[in-house]
Amino acid sequence: MSRRLVRSIRNISSTPAEIKIKAATSNDSFGPTTSELNELAILTNDSKQLKQIITILVKRINDSSRNWRHILKSLTVIQYCMLAGSIEFVYWIQNNSYLISTLKEFQLKDSNDMAQQIRKKAKSISKLLKDDKLLEEKRSNYHIYRNKMSQPANGKRSSLDITRHDVEPDVEAIGSPALEDGFNPFKRGTQSLDIKRSIGGSRGWESNGGLLGHKDRQSDEISRILANIEEE
C-alpha cells in the first residue's frame, strides 16, 4: 500500500486545516512549500482552525528523533507563522516556548547535519520568543514585504490573489492542547507585546491581495527572510 493511499485513508476524518498542517509537516523529503506556509498562516486567524493546527504541531514537535522531518518542518511552520500568522499564534508559542527550547540540544545519530538544522532553528525561534521588540520588528518588516508583494507590477489586482472575509479569533475558545484544560495560552500576564497595535495585526491584508498567487516570485525571498532570522 502506497504512502499516499495510507494518508488518504487516515485523512478521511480530518478537517481541511488538519490535512494542510499534516501535509506541510510530513515525512516526505520535500516541503513545506511556500503555498502551504501561506495558507497555514492565514488559517491561524480562525480560532477553530488555529486550535487544529497547533494540536498537530505539538504532536509533530514531540515526535521521536527517527521522524526528524516532522520536527524540522514543524519548526519551519512555527518560524513562518510567527512572522506572517495571527497574533494569537504568537501568544500560543510564547506561552509554550518549552516546546522549542527542548530542541536546542537535539541529537540525531544518523545525520548530524539535520540535527544541526533543528538546533539552529530552535535557537533562532527561542531568541525571537525572548525578545518582544525584535519579534515586533520582524513581523512589521514582513507585513510591509507581503503588502508590497501583493501589488502586481501593472498596479491591478491579480486574478490569483486570495481574498477572505476578516475572521475575528475567539481567544477564549482556543485553549492549549499542550497544557491542562482551562489554561488560556494567549494571556501573557505581566509581559507586554504590542505587535498587534503597531502593525495593525495580521488580519485584513488579504483583502488587498494575498501572497498565494505570487509563490513563484516570492519563494526565494521568503527563504531569504527565514535565513536572515537564523543568522541573527
Side-chain angles (χ1 to χ4, degrees), residues 1 21 34 47 80 87 96 154 156 170 189 205 217 223:
M1 187 178 296
I21 185 60
T34 302
S47 59
Y80 187 84
I87 195 65
N96 293 275
N154 60 7
K156 297 180 180 180
D170 183 358
W205 67 271
R217 62 190 174 99
S223 297

Side-chain angles (χ1 to χ4, degrees), residues 182-198:
F183 179 82
N184 187 338
F186 307 132
K187 290 182 178 179
R188 301 198 57 216
T190 58
Q191 289 181 297
S192 63
L193 182 63
D194 209 13
I195 299 172
K196 192 170 186 179
R197 183 182 64 185
S198 63

Side-chain angles (χ1 to χ4, degrees), residues 2 26 33 58 74 82 105 112 116 126 142 159 173 183 198 216 222 231:
S2 68
S26 70
T33 65
V58 169
S74 293
M82 285 176 67
E105 304 299 328
N112 186 56
Q116 186 175 5
S126 294
Y142 191 80
S159 61
F183 179 82
S198 63
D216 292 335
I222 289 176
E231 290 173 0

Side-chain angles (χ1 to χ4, degrees), residues 67-213:
N67 289 323
W68 58 265
R69 286 191 179 92
H70 284 171
I71 301 171
L72 181 59
K73 291 182 179 183
S74 293
L75 289 175
T76 299
V77 171
I78 289 172
Q79 192 177 45
Y80 187 84
C81 287
M82 285 176 67
L83 298 183
S86 68
I87 195 65
E88 286 74 25
F89 180 90
V90 174
Y91 289 161
W92 168 74
I93 193 60
Q94 285 178 322
N95 280 289
N96 293 275
S97 59
Y98 69 90
L99 293 169
I100 308 301
S101 59
T102 57
L103 296 174
K104 291 191 292 185
E105 304 299 328
F106 183 83
Q107 298 293 328
L108 193 61
K109 293 181 179 180
D110 300 331
S111 179
N112 186 56
D113 289 343
M114 294 301 101
Q116 186 175 5
Q117 284 191 43
I118 289 175
R119 292 195 299 269
K120 185 177 181 180
K121 280 188 178 293
K123 290 175 182 178
S124 66
I125 292 173
S126 294
K127 181 179 179 180
L128 282 181
L129 291 176
K130 294 177 181 178
D131 192 334
D132 286 354
K133 185 176 181 180
L134 179 60
L135 178 55
E136 179 180 341
E137 178 185 341
K138 295 297 183 182
R139 282 178 62 90
S140 180
N141 288 343
Y142 191 80
H143 179 73
I144 294 171
Y145 162 74
R146 66 189 181 186
N147 281 339
K148 179 180 178 181
M149 289 297 295
S150 71
Q151 300 300 323
N154 60 7
K156 297 180 180 180
R157 290 184 58 185
S158 168
S159 61
L160 295 177
D161 285 345
I162 280 190
T163 59
R164 67 169 180 80
H165 298 293
D166 282 344
V167 178
E168 187 65 33
D170 183 358
V171 173
E172 298 296 333
I174 297 173
S176 173
L179 300 174
E180 59 184 332
D181 292 340
F183 179 82
N184 187 338
F186 307 132
K187 290 182 178 179
R188 301 198 57 216
T190 58
Q191 289 181 297
S192 63
L193 182 63
D194 209 13
I195 299 172
K196 192 170 186 179
R197 183 182 64 185
S198 63
I199 68 172
S202 59
R203 297 194 303 271
W205 67 271
E206 295 87 356
S207 62
N208 293 319
L211 285 172
L212 298 184

